[in-house]
Amino acid sequence: MNERASSIRANLDAIRARIDAAARAAGRPASDVTLVAVSKTFPSSDIRLAYAAGQRDFGENYAQELARKRAELADLPDLRWHFIGALQSNKAKLLVPGVQLVHAIDRESVASALSRRALAAGVTVEALIEVNVGGEASKAGLAPDEVEALLEIARSLEGLRVVGLMCIPPPGGVPEDSRPAFATLARIAARHPDFTQLSMGMSGDFEVAVTEGATLVRVGSAIFGDRRAEGP
Ligand SMILES: *Cc1c(COP(=O)(O)O)cnc(C)c1O
């Protein structure tokens, strides 16, 4: 096994162990939490190494990058793709059909585009609504009091099913800084008994997210290392 393969495998093993411990400490079954390995900017060869180490869920935040990697990895049929970025309506066709979950819808135009595309493809697409729990002006996501309105619209759209919420808390210094945001997201989600997914927690704070009820944690750099530059 080369060095890159053993480093990715060791990182995945360590993160899975930490997720299991955090879940146990919170009295939750570890099987409630899915690790989404965020592979953005990293090559498909790294995704193959993670796959060989047992990882199946991968997250990308540029539609073209996801589509390219999906084609490069088409021989791995049980790999699941998560789109975790901000989606432009005209890119929905790159994701549907084939994407497991769209994590971050925050406006009607994107919900409509996904619905149209799903109907054309004869599938149902599952999505989460991104909530700006930190209230930062520059951040993506809906204000907590805007969630209900988008949910109403989404429920009226065929081919689209909203199954939960997602957030990216303001960058903090220590993991605990994210807890209030995670708790807020969980509280909003609790008003909707039909929700099954809470996507929250990244490399720096996924254990806190698990103790606050995350069902999907999105971890990139702790698996694959530092990203040199972000971009498609
Ligand atoms: C990049 C990214 C992540 C992963 O971040 P890390 O800190 O590298 O774990 C998670 N969620 C979203 C939405 C991202 O864009």
Side-chain angles (χ1 to χ4, degrees), residues 78-196:
D78 57 343
L79 192 155
R80 293 180 289 268
W81 292 102
H82 296 250
F83 187 72
I84 63 173
L87 183 60
Q88 295 163 272
S89 303
N90 62 352
K91 302 282 166 58
K93 61 180 182 300
L94 292 173
L95 304 181
V96 181
V99 158
Q100 176 82 10
L101 183 66
V102 176
H103 283 232
I105 65 170
D106 65 356
R107 70 192 81 136
E108 181 176 354
S109 60
V110 171
S112 305
L114 286 170
S115 159
R116 276 195 305 275
R117 184 62 199 158
L119 283 176
V123 298
T124 296
V125 60
E126 297 200 331
L128 310 177
I129 291 177
E130 179 176 0
V131 185
N132 180 359
V133 280
E136 298 154 281
S138 62
K139 269 274 218 40
L142 292 178
D145 63 3
E146 295 170 331
V147 170
E148 205 59 46
L150 182 59
L151 197 53
E152 277 305 308
I153 291 166
R155 284 198 177 113
S156 73
L157 295 170
E158 281 180 76
L160 176 68
R161 204 147 71 89
V162 175
V163 296
L165 303 177
M166 176 266 204
C167 75
I168 307 173
V174 296
E176 281 297 325
D177 291 347
S178 301
R179 189 179 296 278
F182 294 155
T184 299
L185 196 71
R187 205 161 45 240
I188 299 168
R191 294 179 204 144
H192 302 282
D194 54 324
F195 282 177
T196 54

Side-chain angles (χ1 to χ4, degrees), residues 38 40 61 84 166 168 202-203 218-221 227:
V38 177
K40 62 186 183 194
N61 67 348
I84 63 173
M166 176 266 204
I168 307 173
M202 314 195 340
S203 289
R218 311 176 308 267
V219 178
S221 48
R227 291 180 291 274

